[in-house]
Amino acid sequence: MNNYEAIFARKSVRKYTMKSLAPEVLQQIENYCQDVPYLFGDMEAEFRILPYSDHVVSAVSPFTVKAPYYLAVYMKPQARACMTAGYILQQISLYLVTMGLGSCFIGGHILKKKYQSLGEKEQVLILAFGEAKEEATRKPVDAKRRSLEDLCVYKEVPRQWMKQLLEAARMAPSSMNSQPWRFVVYDNRIHIFSVKKIYEKHNRLDEINFGILFANMMTVAEELWLDVDLIRLDNISQKTFPNTEYILSAILKA
């Protein structure tokens, strides 16, 4: 299994055996972290694998996932940091699936205070991971996701590669399974929008959600050898689509 195939098999794992992983396995994960592509070229992140056995968790609550390891990503406070963290950690999450391991995103601060920063960088997002207590994967049909018919407005008949990008996007995990994305689809481009919230415009968790979404889409692009750009188009951002906010566009280069 590769990262592309893992998109359709991954699930959020919330129960773990708490067994320690071999040092060489942890080193393999650390090496992958250093080579993972970023969403924006001017961003910089640092990673720490924190074992539960080191008493890194501040308190256990119904919303805390107890796992043998927590991979924390640290970044300087800046625009799109949360989106970048989601983009990075989704790629790592997919890689963990290929290793037979489970993972789960944690958007809140569950770590003790001394682990919440690293120099000038702050903890943005955590990925709990380890050996799953039950199955670490599932069949795509078992994923509770909206259909593409619900998520897309088709302006033109999409090419086959576009359908694969959209299906991978549809499978992306999101906070509370909110699936806040909507797509306006053309022959060679997808304009991506966020559903506006009544109580707030565009929050931190949605930034993370869209980073995860873009990681899925770019993983497909790499697998299919597609030259895809994720860019923001000024003319699109001025157009009004009911109850949505424009985020980015995925455009196939000629």
Side-chain angles (χ1 to χ4, degrees):
M1 181 184 294
N2 60 20
N3 279 23
Y4 169 73
E5 294 166 325
I7 288 173
F8 306 97
R10 183 198 174 275
K11 70 175 184 179
S12 295
V13 174
R14 293 178 172 82
K15 293 183 180 180
Y16 296 85
T17 65
M18 302 306 291
K19 292 180 181 178
S20 297
L21 298 176
E24 57 268 25
V25 172
L26 292 175
Q27 186 60 57
Q28 189 177 342
I29 295 168
E30 288 182 355
N31 292 343
Y32 188 85
C33 290
Q34 300 309 315
D35 294 333
V36 68
Y38 284 34
L39 182 57
F40 304 106
D42 58 346
M43 296 286 191
E44 182 182 340
E46 291 189 56
F47 306 89
R48 289 292 183 274
I49 294 178
L50 304 170
Y52 182 87
S53 58
D54 286 356
H55 307 288
V56 299
V57 176
S58 59
V60 176
S61 74
F63 302 101
T64 301
V65 175
K66 183 180 178 182
Y69 300 96
Y70 300 94
L71 175 58
V73 57
Y74 300 85
M75 301 182 69
K76 291 181 180 179
Q78 56 190 307
R80 302 286 174 102
C82 291
M83 187 177 290
T84 298
Y87 186 82
I88 292 169
L89 284 191
Q90 174 64 357
Q91 294 174 77
I92 297 169
S93 177
L94 295 175
Y95 180 66
L96 292 173
V97 174
T98 71
M99 300 177 71
L101 300 174
S103 66
C104 184
F105 286 94
I106 301 175
H109 291 292
I110 68 166
L111 301 179
K112 291 181 178 178
K113 190 172 182 179
K114 66 179 179 179
Y115 300 109
Q116 292 181 15
S117 61
L118 199 61
E120 296 181 349
K121 297 182 176 70
E122 298 178 358
Q123 175 226 305
V124 181
L125 187 60
I126 300 169
L127 191 69
F129 74 94
E131 182 182 295
K133 208 165 191 178
E134 299 173 349
E135 290 292 328
T137 58
R138 66 179 168 199
K139 296 177 181 178
V141 70
D142 293 329
K144 295 180 180 178
R145 299 290 189 269
R146 291 176 178 268
S147 68
L148 286 179
E149 287 70 24
D150 288 341
L151 297 173
C152 298
V153 173
Y154 294 96
K155 297 293 188 177
E156 296 175 352
V157 178
R159 303 180 194 180
Q160 182 57 39
W161 70 266
M162 186 84 74
K163 294 177 183 178
Q164 290 171 270
L165 279 179
L166 289 168
E167 187 57 33
R170 188 182 76 86
M171 293 297 293
S174 55
S175 56
M176 306 298 291
N177 200 25
S178 56
Q179 303 167 68
W181 30 73
R182 298 293 184 269
F183 310 105
V184 178
V185 183
Y186 289 81
D187 171 62
N188 66 342
R189 62 197 184 279
I190 304 170
H191 302 309
I192 300 147
F193 295 80
S194 173
V195 176
K196 286 185 178 179
K197 308 281 194 306
I198 296 175
Y199 55 89
E200 59 187 329
K201 184 181 178 183
H202 185 57
N203 65 19
R204 173 179 174 274
L205 290 179
D206 272 357
E207 285 274 343
I208 293 169
N209 291 336
F210 277 91
I212 294 170
L213 173 88
F214 295 138
N216 273 16
M217 295 179 77
M218 296 308 285
T219 297
V220 173
E222 181 179 0
E223 175 71 15
L224 301 181
W225 289 41
L226 298 172
D227 196 357
V228 175
D229 266 346
L230 286 174
I231 59 176
R232 186 174 177 85
L233 302 173
D234 291 338
N235 62 320
I236 296 296
S237 62
Q238 301 304 314
K239 294 183 179 180
T240 301
F241 289 88
N243 302 316
T244 61
E245 176 188 356
Y246 174 63
I247 305 297
L248 289 175
S249 296
I251 299 179
L252 177 65
K253 292 183 181 178

